[in-house]
Amino acid sequence: MEDDFYPIHFLLKSNYPFFKNMRLAQPTLCLLFFLSITFALHAQQVYFTTGFKIAEVSQNEVRIWTRLCGQEQPNPVSHERREKIFRHPLDFDESMPVDQMDGAVKGAEGYVRAILIAGNTRKESDWQRVKAADDFTVKIPFTGLKAGTQYDLILEGKATRNSQQVTQIKGSFSTAPAPDGVVSVQFTTSTCQYFWSYDDPKIGFKTYESMAKLKPDFFVQTGDYVYYDKPGPSANIIEKARHKWHAMDAWPALKAFYTNTPVYMVKDDHDLLSDDVDPKTENYGELSFEDGLKIWYENVAVKDKPYRTFRWGQDVQIWLVEGREFRTPNKTKDSGQKTIWGSEQKNWFQRTLSQSDATFKILFSATPIVGPDRENKTDNHANAAFDTEGEWLRKLLADQQNLFVVNGDRHWQYVSEDAETGLIEFGSGPVSDNHVQGWDPDDKRPEHHYLNLIGGFLGVKIFRENDEANIQFTHYDVDGNVVHQEAFKAE
């Protein structure tokens, strides 16, 4: 049977005498007839309620991610929150059907295509079928794009292959400039966002609205995009884990931000399974490590490996590394074999780093490399549990000219400098003040250039002044106010 077969279509095409002879003199039958048509058309309506992401942009490629939805708006937020860190919802029934939960957005089967337009150039994808097995998500790749060029994006969705009712949503982005292009580049980065830590009940998170005002060339999300292991619901089954992504992406501030801002995403523990997860961690309820991987790749449009590098003109190259899939279990005794990155990724990183002639190099890590971190933590390179690899990595990075580390995971803003190597690390802090915790504000140590227990984001700007390359790191609060800034000239 055709996927777009509906009884009304069959009746309209049939030769049944009833339909051939139906006259306007039969008002009741006419009304029922037209109501049935209206119902059929309405049943075919699909939506882009969780928006889309313009992902993995390079000089000549992009991958468009979206999810086809069956409702125009997410379920309203109806629960009150406790007035403490993370703002857990009060009296939340974890056993209620997922489609009744706050922020829920049901999916819809159908077809999606993407169109890119730059001047007289138009590129169209084929219609891609969206399936429940992939949570109604789709990733559409484009190649052969022109470097440093603005493209308008049109996404179209429909319920059936032959449907004439098409839903449309639009955006725009620019590809990365050529590697020898001398251009200014500005981008933003943030981390750690729990649905119930929102700071604006209408738009979700003020940080996204503040970042949008800067019109960044791209955005790097350094992990903990969602929190499976926090209530409202606790994502102990696949359906609840997927719900966390739907609810987050449907916040108006995120949806608007991603309309015109390309994104690169890195995973961390909470958007994979549970706190400090490694491949040997026990299931979280019925949710397994493998389930978490599948769901992450449903929602993140990486092309191949989860570690990758991107060049943005002559003056900056970024590296995005993977810290969960290849790690040795955290509780293993430290040694030269204990690793967070794994040997294949370490070899790739050293090779690509040595091949780069970019003026500035920035490593994005979901977890700290310099720190300092809390003594009771055991899952990152700033911890004693991975000290051997941490020392090797800090020395390797410090030996590079004009290289800086930007990390996520920590729920406070900071800038620190490693006492032994001089390596400088910038922690963006969490996306909202409601998510701040984990460090004593009076515990400012010698390695801290800056320490502030607030939410917000980090902005990075690379520019030329008197033909000298400069890089500027700026911490902002959630309202977009500058709270700290450090700048460096290229050595």
Side-chain angles (χ1 to χ4, degrees):
M1 180 179 291
E2 290 284 348
D3 58 63
D4 58 348
F5 177 84
Y6 286 88
I8 190 67
H9 295 164
F10 175 76
L11 293 173
L12 286 172
K13 295 176 182 179
S14 72
N15 292 316
Y16 285 178
F18 173 79
F19 285 94
K20 290 180 68 177
N21 299 323
M22 185 171 65
R23 300 174 181 175
L24 292 175
Q26 299 170 301
T28 302
L29 291 176
C30 286
L31 177 61
L32 290 173
F33 176 68
F34 286 111
L35 284 175
S36 69
I37 293 177
T38 302
F39 176 79
L41 291 173
H42 179 74
Q44 294 184 74
Q45 183 71 54
V46 293
Y47 305 95
F48 293 107
T49 313
T50 50
F52 59 86
K53 293 188 180 76
I54 301 161
E56 305 295 285
V57 173
S58 67
Q59 284 82 25
N60 48 35
E61 295 187 18
V62 69
R63 297 174 72 82
I64 308 299
W65 173 94
T66 194
R67 177 175 183 264
L68 211 54
C69 303
Q71 61 189 80
E72 189 172 8
Q73 298 293 334
N75 289 358
V77 176
S78 59
H79 285 80
E80 298 294 326
R81 302 177 294 177
R82 70 175 190 176
E83 293 302 314
K84 294 181 180 179
I85 297 301
F86 300 139
R87 307 296 175 96
H88 296 169
L90 299 172
D91 302 318
F92 191 92
D93 181 4
E94 293 277 341
S95 65
M96 77 171 77
V98 172
D99 62 7
Q100 296 178 17
M101 292 180 176
D102 306 57
V105 182
K106 65 182 179 182
E109 291 197 359
Y111 293 82
V112 173
R113 75 168 176 177
I115 302 167
L116 298 184
I117 300 172
N120 295 324
T121 301
R122 179 184 175 97
K123 290 177 173 285
E124 291 185 7
S125 75
D126 294 332
W127 285 98
Q128 308 273 347
R129 186 168 185 182
V130 175
K131 301 177 181 178
D134 298 319
D135 194 27
F136 312 101
T137 63
V138 64
K139 295 177 277 286
I140 302 175
F142 284 93
T143 60
L145 305 184
K146 187 177 179 181
T149 301
Q150 180 174 317
Y151 285 87
D152 293 324
L153 167 66
I154 302 172
L155 271 173
E156 295 183 333
K158 57 185 181 180
T160 64
R161 187 181 294 277
N162 296 324
S163 175
Q164 298 302 305
Q165 185 161 347
V166 176
T167 300
Q168 196 176 84
I169 190 170
K170 297 180 180 180
S172 66
F173 68 97
S174 292
T175 50
D180 59 354
V182 179
V183 295
S184 295
V185 177
Q186 179 170 268
F187 60 88
T188 60
T189 180
S190 73
T191 191
C192 299
Q193 55 190 35
Y194 168 41
F195 179 84
W196 292 98
S197 290
Y198 65 83
D199 52 14
D200 188 303
K202 292 184 178 179
I203 67 169
F205 297 99
K206 292 188 287 185
T207 280
Y208 281 91
E209 194 171 65
S210 298
M211 289 193 296
K213 292 177 181 177
L214 298 179
K215 298 182 179 179
D217 294 299
F218 60 88
F219 169 64
V220 181
Q221 208 287 327
T222 53
D224 293 339
Y225 191 80
V226 293
Y227 276 75
Y228 289 160
D229 53 345
K230 293 194 181 300
S234 296
N236 52 12
I237 58 173
I238 288 176
E239 291 76 15
K240 290 181 181 179
R242 284 170 164 168
H243 159 78
K244 296 266 187 172
W245 290 85
H246 311 158
M248 185 63 69
D249 285 333
W251 277 123
L254 276 73
K255 189 175 177 181
F257 179 73
Y258 290 125
T259 297
N260 300 295
T261 309
V263 62
Y264 306 100
M265 299 186 72
V266 179
K267 78 169 80 63
D268 202 19
D269 46 358
H270 297 285
D271 36 32
L272 186 56
L273 191 66
S274 57
D275 192 40
D276 293 352
V277 68
D278 62 55
K280 299 297 184 182
T281 299
E282 294 182 358
N283 290 2
Y284 183 64
E286 297 179 19
L287 194 73
S288 68
F289 186 87
E290 290 71 24
D291 293 331
L293 282 177
K294 173 176 169 51
I295 296 167
W296 195 79
Y297 282 103
E298 285 175 351
N299 289 280
V300 179
V302 294
K303 180 180 178 180
D304 186 17
K305 301 288 187 181
Y307 50 87
R308 59 263 198 226
T309 182
F310 296 91
R311 184 73 176 262
W312 276 76
Q314 183 172 314
D315 287 333
V316 65
Q317 184 167 346
I318 65 172
W319 281 261
L320 310 164
V321 291
E322 167 58 40
R324 294 294 164 184
E325 292 189 37
F326 315 119
R327 70 166 53 210
T328 307
N330 299 327
K331 295 180 180 180
T332 303
K333 184 179 179 181
D334 189 34
S335 69
Q337 286 69 50
K338 189 175 182 181
T339 179
I340 290 177
W341 285 11
S343 58
E344 181 181 305
Q345 180 174 205
K346 289 165 75 171
N347 291 336
W348 163 85
F349 180 73
Q350 292 177 89
R351 183 181 71 255
T352 55
L353 190 63
S354 67
Q355 292 170 345
S356 175
D357 62 354
T359 308
F360 293 107
K361 304 172 180 67
I362 303 177
L363 169 62
F364 284 92
S365 170
T367 53
I369 293 173
V370 174
D373 195 19
R374 293 163 290 182
E375 283 71 21
N376 64 336
K377 297 294 289 184
T378 60
D379 81 325
N380 64 64
H381 286 115
N383 300 149
F386 287 94
D387 189 54
T388 302
E389 187 174 72
E391 286 189 4
W392 164 82
L393 181 55
R394 285 185 290 273
K395 185 177 186 307
L396 171 69
L397 298 176
D399 285 343
Q400 308 295 316
Q401 280 192 329
N402 309 315
L403 185 148
F404 302 91
V405 176
V406 175
N407 70 286
D409 194 39
R410 302 298 79 184
H411 299 173
W412 59 92
Q413 292 186 349
Y414 72 89
V415 182
S416 63
E417 182 174 349
D418 182 50
E420 292 186 14
T421 65
L423 179 65
I424 299 177
E425 177 173 85
F426 295 82
S428 68
V431 80
S432 70
D433 291 334
N434 294 338
H435 205 89
V436 171
Q437 63 90 37
W439 193 267
D440 182 350
D442 296 324
D443 187 13
K444 187 172 183 180
R445 302 184 184 181
E447 54 264 54
H448 281 126
H449 290 199
Y450 165 69
L451 173 68
N452 200 348
L453 271 70
I454 62 169
F457 63 99
L458 177 70
V460 183
K461 185 176 182 180
I462 299 93
F463 60 97
R464 290 286 179 110
E465 195 172 70
N466 299 323
D467 203 35
E468 286 186 309
N470 294 261
I471 188 167
Q472 181 176 280
F473 295 87
T474 305
H475 277 96
Y476 298 85
D477 66 16
V478 297
D479 294 309
N481 299 307
V482 174
V483 292
H484 182 75
Q485 191 171 85
E486 298 198 16
F488 307 85
K489 291 185 180 297
E491 295 183 6

